[in-house]
Amino acid sequence: MSSPSPLSAVPPTETPTGLGVDVGGTGVKVGLVDLARGELIGDRLVRPTPQPATPDAVAALIREMVAEFDWRGPVGVALPSVIHEGVARIAHNIDHSWIGCDVVDLFDRYLPGRTVLMLNDADAAGLTEVHYGAGEGVDGLVILLTFGTGIGSALLLDGRLLPNTEFGHLMVEDIAGRGFDEAEHLASASVRARDGLSFEEWAPHVSNVLRAIEDLLWPRAFVLGGGVSEAADQWFPLLENRTPVRAAVRRGDAGIIGAALYAAGHSGLLDLGRVLPDVGV
């Protein structure tokens, strides 16, 4: 079964719209999204992430930013954390006080009376790429990996998100024979920058991580994102894994778009069938 498209879920005369928020370590981005095309409507709003990036400080900033939009519908929020049963379990590039935070209660307090849905930021990017980007139309299993400070991941089967994967923490054998380490300690973009590796020197480490994942899951396609994907033509040909690799196409807007899609699907604004996990994943 191919991945369902939001285009088939709405009458052709209507343009479903959503609002998405993408929380990053340096900036918080908010934008209105045309959910038929998976594109931003107008300019996105960007503000520096509060320092320290505590739950209350970030939620207060999101409240201010959302108020600048003429929007009364559901709000999707992509967070750099695993969201499990409505609670943030880890904290990547945000304050550690997020760990154990009840994010449902948090946004009930800061956006009362609003429908707010939260998910992991890599999961939001994965939804975007499967419904509007490089993974659209791929049957079976698609795995998105984002290469940045670490390695983020999203797992989607026939368009359905299996949330909160952390393949960046998969233990992989180092190609140099130094033993085993986490995938993101061997092949993230930050490791490449830190060690001054050329694409020729870095690509074997990425191939090794991809092979470790595909030996376990046998995906139909990898979608690779992060800033380094903009130079895909320079290093994709150097990869030596067996699964087809595609470059993410939505990049900096993927978190906003995916968060808006997630919120619209769960609130009934958009009928996506059964491709989304239950709320409070």
Side-chain angles (χ1 to χ4, degrees):
M1 161 172 110
S2 61
S3 303
S5 169
L7 287 170
S8 63
V10 295
T13 56
E14 297 181 13
T15 302
T17 303
L19 185 77
V21 180
D22 185 12
V23 178
T26 59
V28 177
K29 301 178 288 187
V30 182
L32 285 171
V33 178
D34 178 336
L35 292 171
R37 296 179 175 83
E39 299 174 350
L40 293 190
I41 301 171
D43 295 331
R44 63 186 182 181
L45 183 64
V46 183
R47 296 284 185 270
T49 303
Q51 299 301 325
T54 63
D56 287 298
V58 171
L61 176 61
I62 290 173
R63 176 178 59 191
E64 295 173 8
M65 296 175 73
V66 169
E68 297 193 33
F69 291 83
D70 184 19
W71 177 253
R72 294 293 178 268
V75 178
V77 182
L79 294 167
S81 176
V82 164
I83 308 300
H84 186 249
E85 297 182 340
V87 176
R89 302 296 184 179
I90 60 177
H92 291 318
N93 301 315
I94 50 176
D95 195 80
H96 282 183
S97 58
W98 279 90
I99 299 174
C101 173
D102 184 332
V103 293
V104 176
D105 174 72
L106 176 71
F107 287 104
D108 278 347
R109 289 188 285 112
Y110 280 91
L111 291 170
R114 306 291 292 268
T115 299
V116 184
L117 285 304
M118 291 71 65
L119 77 164
N120 172 265
D121 53 358
D123 284 342
L127 283 172
T128 298
E129 291 295 334
V130 162
H131 286 280
Y132 309 107
E136 186 176 5
V138 178
D139 293 335
L141 182 62
V142 175
I143 297 176
L144 171 117
L145 299 173
T146 57
F147 290 83
T149 303
I151 299 178
S153 62
L155 186 69
L156 298 107
L157 179 62
D158 290 326
R160 180 174 176 80
L161 175 66
L162 284 71
N164 294 322
T165 57
E166 288 287 319
F167 292 139
H169 300 305
L170 181 69
M171 297 301 291
V172 176
E173 187 173 11
D174 184 1
I175 63 171
R178 295 188 295 252
F180 288 80
D181 204 344
E182 293 186 11
E184 62 183 31
H185 294 165
L186 300 172
S188 66
S190 62
V191 167
R192 174 178 177 263
R194 182 197 67 196
D195 295 344
L197 301 177
S198 67
F199 283 127
E200 290 76 9
E201 294 168 322
W202 180 61
H205 296 281
V206 178
S207 296
N208 199 40
V209 169
L210 298 183
R211 285 193 295 262
I213 294 173
E214 62 192 4
D215 283 348
L216 293 173
L217 296 171
W218 291 82
R220 296 290 183 86
F222 283 113
V223 176
L224 305 187
V228 72
S229 67
E230 296 179 13
D233 60 334
Q234 298 181 49
W235 61 279
F236 276 26
L238 303 172
L239 296 174
E240 297 180 341
N241 63 297
R242 62 176 173 267
T243 305
V245 174
R246 304 181 178 194
V249 297
R250 298 296 179 166
R251 295 175 183 160
D253 294 331
I256 295 174
I257 296 168
L261 179 65
Y262 184 77
H266 272 303
S267 65
L269 181 66
L270 201 62
D271 181 7
L272 296 176
R274 295 186 54 80
V275 303
L276 298 178
D278 293 335
V279 179
V281 295

